[in-house]
Amino acid sequence: MSDFITLDDDSDLAHLIDLIDMLAGPEVTSLWGEGEHSVGSKFAYRIKTILSGQGRVQDVDYLAVYVLKYLGKGNTYISEDLITKSLRGVGGLPAAGHAWVEDATRTAWILATRYSLPQWRGYRGTPGQNWLSAP
């Protein structure tokens, strides 16, 4: 088994990349920001790594967390209105922007829990282990 995760390996990852591709490209600084510490540069680093076939668990995890943090429902960085305006081919339809945010958030959460849950679980290596000794 390869240490690398490709779009062929994970259909949820492929779907998330497709969703991100529906947004205006990285050259649109009004969406992604400017400079080496911009939201766009964070996304670009992980997406380029994944698309080059060199993506590892941490790259997928970071990409998913970036979506949750910067594009997900209720984030304070890139508003749903700005996402709606930046969706290609949708013509600013508010329902499409809302649906995009919901879908991207749900898909990113699936990926984050798939690749991070063992780490988040910490010392409790067995799912549900805490409940076995509960009163």
Side-chain angles (χ1 to χ4, degrees):
M1 181 175 164
S2 174
D3 288 338
F4 301 114
I5 301 168
T6 68
L7 301 185
D8 289 337
D9 296 329
D10 192 317
S11 61
D12 293 317
L13 176 59
H15 181 64
L16 187 61
I17 296 290
D18 281 343
L19 288 172
I20 293 169
D21 210 30
M22 290 175 69
L23 295 172
E27 73 283 355
V28 179
T29 58
S30 61
L31 174 65
W32 299 109
E34 295 184 57
E36 66 180 78
H37 299 294
S38 69
V39 172
S41 66
K42 292 176 188 304
F43 275 82
Y45 177 78
R46 301 302 173 170
I47 290 172
K48 286 177 183 179
T49 301
I50 292 165
L51 293 179
S52 72
Q54 301 298 307
R56 296 182 183 273
V57 166
Q58 66 267 21
D59 296 305
V60 176
D61 180 53
Y62 273 100
L63 180 62
V65 171
Y66 291 159
V67 169
L68 292 169
K69 182 175 183 178
Y70 298 111
L71 302 173
K73 185 175 176 82
N75 83 82
T76 58
Y77 295 94
I78 299 176
S79 70
E80 188 173 307
D81 287 339
L82 186 53
I83 290 170
T84 300
K85 290 175 187 171
S86 300
L87 282 171
R88 300 174 194 214
V90 176
L93 184 64
H98 177 76
W100 188 96
V101 169
E102 292 290 326
D103 192 4
T105 300
R106 183 177 47 254
T107 304
W109 180 249
I110 288 167
L111 290 168
T113 57
R114 178 176 300 147
Y115 294 107
S116 295
L117 192 57
Q119 175 184 315
W120 293 348
R121 189 179 294 121
Y123 68 91
R124 297 179 307 271
T126 303
Q129 184 176 356
N130 270 359
W131 296 94
L132 293 175
S133 60

